[in-house]
Amino acid sequence: MTAAAEAVEGTDAPPPDDPSTGAGRGRSRPGSWRRRLYAWDVRYSPYAFVAPFFLFFAAFGIFPLLYTGWASLHRVGLSAPDHMEWVGLHNYTRLLDDAFFWNSLRNTFTIGVISTVPQLLMALGLAHLLHYRLRAAAFWRVALLTPYATSVAAATLVFVLLYGRDYGMINWALGAVGVSPVDWQSGTWSSQFAVSSIVIWRWTGYNALIYLAAMQAVPDELYESAALDGASRGQQFRYVTVPALRPTILFTVVVSTIGATQLFGEPLLFGGAGGQKGGASHQFQTLGLYLYEQGWFNFHLGRASAVAWTMFLILLLIAAVNVLIARRLRKSR
């Protein structure tokens, strides 16, 4: 036996792996567990990062949606939410015979039109002004976003004071030019105009910044070629800017329509103590207020759930129309 063999025999080190006999195959090589942990980290850590979102979405999004759909098929009251009586589609068919439901649907549509159309037109004009170089451009952009950051309650209460019948500033201004005071909350069109003005004030600047970001993505070469052809700024806006912003305009129209369908805070606070009725004659009651009245004042959670799912179906219809229009815009290019 050589000296090297004796040295090896005298040590406690494990013998090397023998591929032919399989000796030492059960032992892990140094660093193998590190490689496995690294592979597991690369493969599964992205799922761990996104898991909290899906957990919260399932708990506060999917489960309430499914539970509301199940409750809409039952007669259930707020005083005993665990006692359900199966009624099938009765809550939905009852909506078709409810004049207040159709009134709230009509009010939602009119307030949505009155608030969305001027809002987006003003936002487009403001974005066009800010697109050109102005002094203190950052200040004006922040100022446009300030109404959006303001609390809905604070903004609505200020507008309630402005639209006051006896001491409101708007009636004072109307009286200064010889117009008789207006009872803004009592009239149908006056109350809807007042509620729409709150929405316009809050969301015009937000949409203007969206349009401004889209305008800055339009290539300058288009404006330069239009200017060489003799187009004025107004013509450039009409024939260059607006066609380039069609997808963005469609996006803001859809988002504003969804927001108008879910309108709740502004009319509720504008109506005061009985805000859930949308006025004494329900003249500005929206679908959101009608849902709130059915569930938390009339204690009919089943009917309120049916209203909620009806609103959800309306939003799905709006989304489907958006997809169809977007496809046509892509084909027309």
Side-chain angles (χ1 to χ4, degrees), residues 100 103 106-107 185-188 277-285:
F100 292 111
N103 175 71
R106 182 173 57 254
N107 292 340
Q185 290 187 351
S186 299
T188 300
K277 295 182 178 180
S281 302
H282 300 262
Q283 63 269 20
F284 58 94
Q285 186 182 47

Side-chain angles (χ1 to χ4, degrees), residues 1-19:
M1 182 178 296
T2 62
E6 292 177 356
V8 172
E9 184 178 4
T11 60
D12 295 334
D17 295 344
D18 188 357

Side-chain angles (χ1 to χ4, degrees), residues 311-324:
M311 296 173 61
F312 177 67
L313 295 177
I314 293 174
L315 295 179
L316 289 180
L317 180 61
I318 295 173
V321 173
N322 174 34
V323 172
L324 293 177

Side-chain angles (χ1 to χ4, degrees), residues 183-233:
D183 191 356
W184 295 97
Q185 290 187 351
S186 299
T188 300
W189 288 105
S190 61
S191 59
Q192 294 181 7
F193 174 80
V195 173
S196 300
S197 64
I198 306 174
V199 180
I200 293 172
W201 180 81
R202 291 194 67 240
W203 291 96
T204 299
Y206 176 83
N207 289 309
L209 292 182
I210 293 179
Y211 288 149
L212 179 61
M215 288 179 184
Q216 291 178 346
V218 179
D220 295 334
E221 292 80 4
L222 297 178
Y223 293 103
E224 294 175 357
S225 60
L228 292 176
D229 293 336
S232 61
R233 284 192 174 183

